[in-house]
Amino acid sequence: MSKLFEHVLLSLFGDSLASDNLQFGFKKDSSCSHALFTFGEPVKYFTNKGSKIYSVSLDASKAFDKVLHHGLFLKMLNKGISPSFVQLLCTWYGNLFCCVSWNGVLSESFKIKCGVRQGGVLSPYLFSLYIDNLI
């Protein structure tokens, strides 16, 4: 049911969830090969001209789990995304609870305070918005 709900939200607000064209991860019709090409061509150009190349990379392991909800929502508002959509996401993410199942026994539930929904339809878009200003 949640995936259907997020598909509806994506169809309504998807145009406002675009991230920078130089961001290749978590985007339709974009892949690692696009990023490697965009990185490799300037490297070839400047090394052929005798220049030194300096590069920095970031490996954000478990990055989806690290998204701070309030930070994401603030970035969305600052980007001019519909306040009603942001409010809806605040409610959607503000009511996330989880519990652990081990040997058939469930723990008490606890509130999820950060991260985007694993497998969520909106999650790649929300994560891309969250890290967009790194570019």
Side-chain angles (χ1 to χ4, degrees):
M1 195 60 118
S2 66
K3 286 190 179 196
L4 177 62
F5 178 64
E6 289 191 12
H7 270 294
V8 170
L9 292 177
L10 186 59
S11 70
L12 293 172
F13 299 102
D15 292 342
S16 64
L17 298 176
S19 57
D20 193 283
N21 289 333
L22 292 175
Q23 189 179 138
F24 297 99
F26 310 109
K27 284 186 165 181
K28 186 177 181 179
D29 299 325
S30 180
S31 69
C32 194
S33 61
H34 292 101
L36 289 173
F37 177 79
T38 303
F39 175 76
E41 288 304 305
V43 168
K44 280 190 241 177
Y45 175 82
F46 286 108
T47 54
N48 287 339
K49 301 280 186 191
S51 294
K52 291 183 179 180
I53 303 293
Y54 299 95
S55 174
V56 174
S57 65
L58 172 68
D59 178 13
S61 59
K62 300 191 183 190
F64 271 33
D65 297 334
K66 308 281 194 233
V67 174
L68 300 173
H69 295 163
H70 294 299
L72 170 64
F73 304 142
L74 182 61
K75 288 179 181 196
M76 291 175 76
L77 290 171
N78 288 340
K79 189 176 173 154
I81 294 175
S82 165
S84 60
F85 178 48
V86 176
Q87 180 60 48
L88 187 121
L89 288 178
C90 284
T91 303
W92 183 242
Y93 274 89
N95 291 306
L96 289 178
F97 288 86
C98 191
C99 63
V100 177
S101 174
W102 187 60
N103 281 339
V105 178
L106 289 177
S107 72
E108 290 188 32
S109 64
F110 53 92
K111 187 170 180 63
I112 304 293
K113 296 181 180 177
C114 62
V116 290
R117 300 169 67 93
Q118 298 295 320
V121 173
L122 290 174
S123 296
Y125 297 92
L126 298 176
F127 179 75
S128 291
L129 282 174
Y130 188 71
I131 64 167
D132 200 42
N133 61 342
L134 289 177
I135 291 175

